[in-house]
Amino acid sequence: MIKGGPSLKQERNLITDIPGPKSIEMMQRRKKAVSAGVGGALPVFAHAAGGSVLLDIDGNTFIDLGSGIAVTSVGNSAQSVVENVKEQAELFTHTCFMVTPYEKYVEVCEKLNQLTPGTHEKRSALFNSGAEAVENAIKVARAFTKRQAVVAFEHGYHGRTNLTMALTAKSMPYKHSFGPFAPEIYRMPMSYPYHDNRSGEVVAREAISKMEKEIGANQIAAIIVEPIQGEGGFIVPAPGFLPAIAQFAKANGIVFIADEIQTGFCRTGAWFASEHEGLVPDLITTAKGLAGGLPLAGITGTAEMMDSVHVSGLGGTYGGNPIACAAALGSINEMEQHNLIARAKELEQIFRDGLTQMQSKYPAIGDIRGKGAMMAIELINPDGSPNSDLVSKVSKYCHQNGVIVLTAGTYGNVIRFLPPLTISTQLLNEGLDVVEQGFKAAS
Ligand code: PLZ
């Protein structure tokens, strides 16, 4: 039997049409068994995956430029992750940390406290998903400040639970028909340089003025922001925007939360994207890349805030599951061993070179943006309006030709790239060649 993991040959190889016959059959089974409410980007079923390739059940291998939405940053089924998972599963699978604690939970918290920005005393707590981490960060901020209002931003994404849906900006598909949403959430303008052409300071001033006038600074418990917006379309705010917002938070006793669920763990060429502008957030939410594919999320913050919650106010049956913690320790180890921060920066350059060259041929590529191995292109019509049609065509072409790419953006007109940070230059360039062929075929 073919195994996944690093031994899987790192190549793109299609031996059937996409989807192949076995995947077509599975798609029919899926339709009868799985809720239609669960979406799907590719119509192929996975058999194995390793490093930066995925093998489907028909024997086709795809170049993975999505990492399961920024999760398998150390490569799929990375060696340390698999070894740690196996070892832990044979020791025990679960105790519930709130019933009988275990060392690996503490070790992951120590790592989070050490790696997140700032040298101050910190504490962490672990959960299962990004949305759950965000929920808990808001709980901590409200308990600490004894205030209720929470500020989020245009184009922001924070999850699909009731509170996090309220924090998320986009209606379709995340919120549509699912209300009523949690109260006391306020949405502020976001710096979006490609569209607003304004400096970070100017947009921040507008947002701050609105917060003061429409909510009242002393009513705000927390401001939550993704340092680079993920689902919103890899929007990198203009320099100065985030520092001004963080400064406003500090001056008014507001908890500044950086949602680093998509940007964290070397993805942007730093442990955390907050570092690019020297931000030291009060609280940070993490998930995705943290545990190499196992469900684990964390919140990390100042000891003062994190310890302000009453005993047993935070928790959950599975939060910080021992196998997920073992995976996280393996994943972080891979990042340190292979210096994936440096590799993410190299990948950014390869992306910039390839995409800039593509842009010179295809003016529909209006913007190239991102940091590290979190890069995107925003596609436009000749009049500058969003071109989501072309995004569908190019991404479908990529899928049918063995490259997994993901889309994003409030207007659905962004193709985003999130390869494993371990991807080879050759495989990445091959993936980008297919993207370019997609543009050619679509025009
Ligand atoms: N915060 C910044 O990116 C998850 C969502 C995919 P969960 N993004 C992928 C989808 O369509 O559901 C995300 C994020 C940021 C929070 C979350 C939520 O993390 O682990 O999906 O709950």
Short mmCIF file of all heavy atoms in Angstrom, two decimals, residues 253-287:
data_model
loop_
_atom_site.label_atom_id
_atom_site.label_comp_id
_atom_site.label_asym_id
_atom_site.label_seq_id
_atom_site.Cartn_x
_atom_site.Cartn_y
_atom_site.Cartn_z
N GLY A 253 -7.30 51.22 27.35
CA GLY A 253 -7.58 50.01 28.14
C GLY A 253 -8.34 48.96 27.37
O GLY A 253 -9.09 48.16 27.95
N ILE A 254 -8.17 48.95 26.04
CA ILE A 254 -8.86 47.97 25.19
C ILE A 254 -7.90 46.83 24.89
O ILE A 254 -6.72 47.07 24.60
CB ILE A 254 -9.31 48.64 23.86
CG1 ILE A 254 -10.26 49.81 24.14
CG2 ILE A 254 -9.93 47.62 22.92
CD1 ILE A 254 -10.49 50.72 22.95
N VAL A 255 -8.38 45.61 24.94
CA VAL A 255 -7.53 44.45 24.65
C VAL A 255 -7.34 44.34 23.13
O VAL A 255 -8.32 44.25 22.39
CB VAL A 255 -8.16 43.16 25.20
CG1 VAL A 255 -7.30 41.94 24.86
CG2 VAL A 255 -8.36 43.28 26.72
N PHE A 256 -6.10 44.37 22.71
CA PHE A 256 -5.79 44.26 21.27
C PHE A 256 -5.51 42.79 20.95
O PHE A 256 -4.54 42.22 21.43
CB PHE A 256 -4.58 45.14 20.93
CG PHE A 256 -4.22 45.11 19.47
CD1 PHE A 256 -4.97 45.83 18.54
CD2 PHE A 256 -3.14 44.35 19.01
CE1 PHE A 256 -4.64 45.80 17.19
CE2 PHE A 256 -2.81 44.32 17.66
CZ PHE A 256 -3.56 45.05 16.75
N ILE A 257 -6.39 42.20 20.15
CA ILE A 257 -6.26 40.77 19.82
C ILE A 257 -5.81 40.63 18.37
O ILE A 257 -6.48 41.10 17.45
CB ILE A 257 -7.60 40.02 19.98
CG1 ILE A 257 -8.19 40.25 21.38
CG2 ILE A 257 -7.41 38.52 19.69
CD1 ILE A 257 -9.61 39.69 21.55
N ALA A 258 -4.68 39.97 18.16
CA ALA A 258 -4.26 39.64 16.80
C ALA A 258 -4.73 38.22 16.50
O ALA A 258 -4.34 37.27 17.20
CB ALA A 258 -2.74 39.74 16.67
N ASP A 259 -5.59 38.09 15.50
CA ASP A 259 -6.01 36.76 15.07
C ASP A 259 -4.97 36.26 14.07
O ASP A 259 -4.97 36.65 12.91
CB ASP A 259 -7.41 36.81 14.46
CG ASP A 259 -7.91 35.43 14.02
OD1 ASP A 259 -7.08 34.50 13.95
OD2 ASP A 259 -9.11 35.29 13.74
N GLU A 260 -4.08 35.41 14.57
CA GLU A 260 -2.97 34.90 13.74
C GLU A 260 -3.23 33.44 13.35
O GLU A 260 -2.29 32.67 13.13
CB GLU A 260 -1.65 35.04 14.49
CG GLU A 260 -1.23 36.50 14.71
CD GLU A 260 0.02 36.89 13.93
OE1 GLU A 260 0.37 36.19 12.94
OE2 GLU A 260 0.65 37.90 14.31
N ILE A 261 -4.49 33.09 13.28
CA ILE A 261 -4.84 31.70 12.98
C ILE A 261 -4.35 31.30 11.59
O ILE A 261 -3.85 30.20 11.40
CB ILE A 261 -6.37 31.51 13.16
CG1 ILE A 261 -6.67 31.49 14.67
CG2 ILE A 261 -6.87 30.25 12.48
CD1 ILE A 261 -8.12 31.68 15.05
N GLN A 262 -4.46 32.21 10.64
CA GLN A 262 -3.98 31.88 9.28
C GLN A 262 -2.54 32.36 9.05
O GLN A 262 -1.79 31.76 8.30
CB GLN A 262 -4.92 32.49 8.23
CG GLN A 262 -4.69 31.95 6.84
CD GLN A 262 -5.91 31.99 5.90
OE1 GLN A 262 -5.77 31.92 4.71
NE2 GLN A 262 -7.11 32.08 6.42
N THR A 263 -2.16 33.44 9.72
CA THR A 263 -0.85 34.06 9.46
C THR A 263 0.28 33.50 10.33
O THR A 263 1.45 33.78 10.06
CB THR A 263 -0.93 35.58 9.73
OG1 THR A 263 -1.53 35.77 11.02
CG2 THR A 263 -1.74 36.29 8.68
N GLY A 264 -0.07 32.74 11.36
CA GLY A 264 0.93 32.33 12.34
C GLY A 264 1.85 31.22 11.89
O GLY A 264 1.69 30.63 10.84
N PHE A 265 2.85 30.98 12.71
CA PHE A 265 3.76 29.86 12.55
C PHE A 265 4.53 29.85 11.22
O PHE A 265 4.40 28.92 10.42
CB PHE A 265 3.05 28.53 12.83
CG PHE A 265 2.72 28.43 14.29
CD1 PHE A 265 1.47 28.76 14.76
CD2 PHE A 265 3.71 28.11 15.20
CE1 PHE A 265 1.20 28.75 16.12
CE2 PHE A 265 3.46 28.10 16.55
CZ PHE A 265 2.20 28.42 17.00
N CYS A 266 5.31 30.89 11.04
CA CYS A 266 6.28 31.02 9.94
C CYS A 266 5.64 31.35 8.60
O CYS A 266 6.35 31.68 7.65
CB CYS A 266 7.14 29.76 9.77
SG CYS A 266 7.96 29.21 11.26
N ARG A 267 4.34 31.25 8.51
CA ARG A 267 3.65 31.41 7.22
C ARG A 267 4.09 32.68 6.47
O ARG A 267 4.29 32.65 5.27
CB ARG A 267 2.14 31.40 7.49
CG ARG A 267 1.20 31.66 6.34
CD ARG A 267 1.39 30.78 5.14
NE ARG A 267 1.25 29.36 5.36
CZ ARG A 267 1.54 28.44 4.42
NH1 ARG A 267 1.96 28.81 3.20
NH2 ARG A 267 1.45 27.16 4.68
N THR A 268 4.19 33.79 7.18
CA THR A 268 4.48 35.06 6.49
C THR A 268 5.96 35.46 6.54
O THR A 268 6.30 36.60 6.27
CB THR A 268 3.63 36.22 7.07
OG1 THR A 268 4.09 36.50 8.40
CG2 THR A 268 2.15 35.87 7.10
N GLY A 269 6.81 34.50 6.92
CA GLY A 269 8.23 34.83 7.00
C GLY A 269 8.62 35.38 8.36
O GLY A 269 9.64 36.07 8.50
N ALA A 270 7.82 35.10 9.34
CA ALA A 270 8.10 35.43 10.75
C ALA A 270 7.29 34.44 11.56
O ALA A 270 6.35 33.83 11.04
CB ALA A 270 7.65 36.85 11.08
N TRP A 271 7.64 34.29 12.84
CA TRP A 271 6.79 33.37 13.63
C TRP A 271 5.35 33.85 13.56
O TRP A 271 4.43 33.07 13.36
CB TRP A 271 7.27 33.28 15.08
CG TRP A 271 8.41 32.32 15.26
CD1 TRP A 271 9.71 32.62 15.52
CD2 TRP A 271 8.34 30.88 15.16
NE1 TRP A 271 10.45 31.46 15.60
CE2 TRP A 271 9.64 30.38 15.39
CE3 TRP A 271 7.31 29.96 14.93
CZ2 TRP A 271 9.94 29.02 15.36
CZ3 TRP A 271 7.60 28.60 14.90
CH2 TRP A 271 8.90 28.14 15.12
N PHE A 272 5.18 35.18 13.72
CA PHE A 272 3.83 35.76 13.66
C PHE A 272 3.86 37.04 12.84
O PHE A 272 4.84 37.78 12.89
CB PHE A 272 3.31 36.00 15.09
CG PHE A 272 3.13 34.71 15.83
CD1 PHE A 272 4.14 34.21 16.64
CD2 PHE A 272 1.99 33.94 15.64
CE1 PHE A 272 4.02 32.96 17.26
CE2 PHE A 272 1.85 32.71 16.25
CZ PHE A 272 2.86 32.22 17.06
N ALA A 273 2.78 37.26 12.09
CA ALA A 273 2.74 38.42 11.19
C ALA A 273 2.76 39.74 11.95
O ALA A 273 3.16 40.77 11.40
CB ALA A 273 1.50 38.34 10.29
N SER A 274 2.34 39.72 13.21
CA SER A 274 2.40 40.94 14.03
C SER A 274 3.80 41.53 14.06
O SER A 274 3.98 42.74 14.18
CB SER A 274 1.97 40.63 15.47
OG SER A 274 0.63 40.22 15.53
N GLU A 275 4.79 40.65 13.96
CA GLU A 275 6.18 41.10 14.06
C GLU A 275 6.58 42.05 12.94
O GLU A 275 7.47 42.88 13.12
CB GLU A 275 7.13 39.89 14.03
CG GLU A 275 6.98 38.99 15.24
CD GLU A 275 7.69 37.65 15.04
OE1 GLU A 275 8.79 37.62 14.46
OE2 GLU A 275 7.11 36.63 15.46
N HIS A 276 5.94 41.95 11.77
CA HIS A 276 6.35 42.79 10.64
C HIS A 276 6.20 44.28 10.96
O HIS A 276 6.89 45.11 10.37
CB HIS A 276 5.54 42.44 9.38
CG HIS A 276 5.75 41.03 8.91
ND1 HIS A 276 7.00 40.55 8.56
CD2 HIS A 276 4.89 40.00 8.75
CE1 HIS A 276 6.88 39.27 8.19
NE2 HIS A 276 5.62 38.92 8.31
N GLU A 277 5.28 44.60 11.86
CA GLU A 277 5.16 46.01 12.24
C GLU A 277 5.47 46.22 13.72
O GLU A 277 5.03 47.21 14.32
CB GLU A 277 3.77 46.55 11.88
CG GLU A 277 3.63 46.75 10.38
CD GLU A 277 2.52 47.74 10.03
OE1 GLU A 277 2.78 48.95 10.02
OE2 GLU A 277 1.40 47.26 9.79
N GLY A 278 6.20 45.28 14.28
CA GLY A 278 6.63 45.43 15.67
C GLY A 278 5.50 45.43 16.69
O GLY A 278 5.63 46.00 17.77
N LEU A 279 4.38 44.80 16.33
CA LEU A 279 3.25 44.79 17.26
C LEU A 279 3.46 43.75 18.35
O LEU A 279 3.95 42.66 18.08
CB LEU A 279 1.96 44.43 16.53
CG LEU A 279 1.52 45.33 15.39
CD1 LEU A 279 0.31 44.71 14.70
CD2 LEU A 279 1.17 46.71 15.91
N VAL A 280 3.06 44.10 19.56
CA VAL A 280 3.04 43.13 20.65
C VAL A 280 1.58 43.07 21.14
O VAL A 280 1.18 43.82 22.03
CB VAL A 280 4.00 43.54 21.79
CG1 VAL A 280 3.96 42.50 22.91
CG2 VAL A 280 5.42 43.68 21.26
N PRO A 281 0.78 42.19 20.54
CA PRO A 281 -0.64 42.13 20.89
C PRO A 281 -0.83 41.68 22.34
O PRO A 281 0.00 40.97 22.89
CB PRO A 281 -1.20 41.08 19.93
CG PRO A 281 -0.18 40.94 18.84
CD PRO A 281 1.14 41.24 19.48
N ASP A 282 -1.95 42.11 22.92
CA ASP A 282 -2.29 41.65 24.28
C ASP A 282 -2.64 40.17 24.25
O ASP A 282 -2.27 39.41 25.13
CB ASP A 282 -3.48 42.43 24.82
CG ASP A 282 -3.17 43.91 24.93
OD1 ASP A 282 -2.10 44.25 25.47
OD2 ASP A 282 -3.99 44.73 24.45
N LEU A 283 -3.40 39.79 23.21
CA LEU A 283 -3.79 38.39 23.04
C LEU A 283 -3.54 37.99 21.60
O LEU A 283 -3.72 38.80 20.69
CB LEU A 283 -5.29 38.19 23.33
CG LEU A 283 -5.82 38.36 24.75
CD1 LEU A 283 -7.33 38.09 24.75
CD2 LEU A 283 -5.14 37.40 25.72
N ILE A 284 -3.17 36.73 21.42
CA ILE A 284 -2.99 36.20 20.06
C ILE A 284 -3.78 34.91 19.97
O ILE A 284 -3.73 34.07 20.88
CB ILE A 284 -1.51 35.93 19.76
CG1 ILE A 284 -0.75 37.25 19.63
CG2 ILE A 284 -1.32 35.11 18.50
CD1 ILE A 284 0.59 37.12 18.94
N THR A 285 -4.51 34.75 18.87
CA THR A 285 -5.17 33.46 18.64
C THR A 285 -4.38 32.69 17.58
O THR A 285 -3.93 33.28 16.60
CB THR A 285 -6.62 33.65 18.13
OG1 THR A 285 -6.60 34.46 16.96
CG2 THR A 285 -7.49 34.29 19.18
N THR A 286 -4.21 31.39 17.81
CA THR A 286 -3.47 30.55 16.87
C THR A 286 -4.25 29.26 16.63
O THR A 286 -5.08 28.85 17.45
CB THR A 286 -2.08 30.18 17.42
OG1 THR A 286 -2.23 29.62 18.73
CG2 THR A 286 -1.16 31.38 17.49
N ALA A 287 -3.99 28.62 15.51
CA ALA A 287 -4.58 27.30 15.19
C ALA A 287 -3.82 26.78 13.96
O ALA A 287 -2.60 26.92 13.89
CB ALA A 287 -6.08 27.40 14.94
#
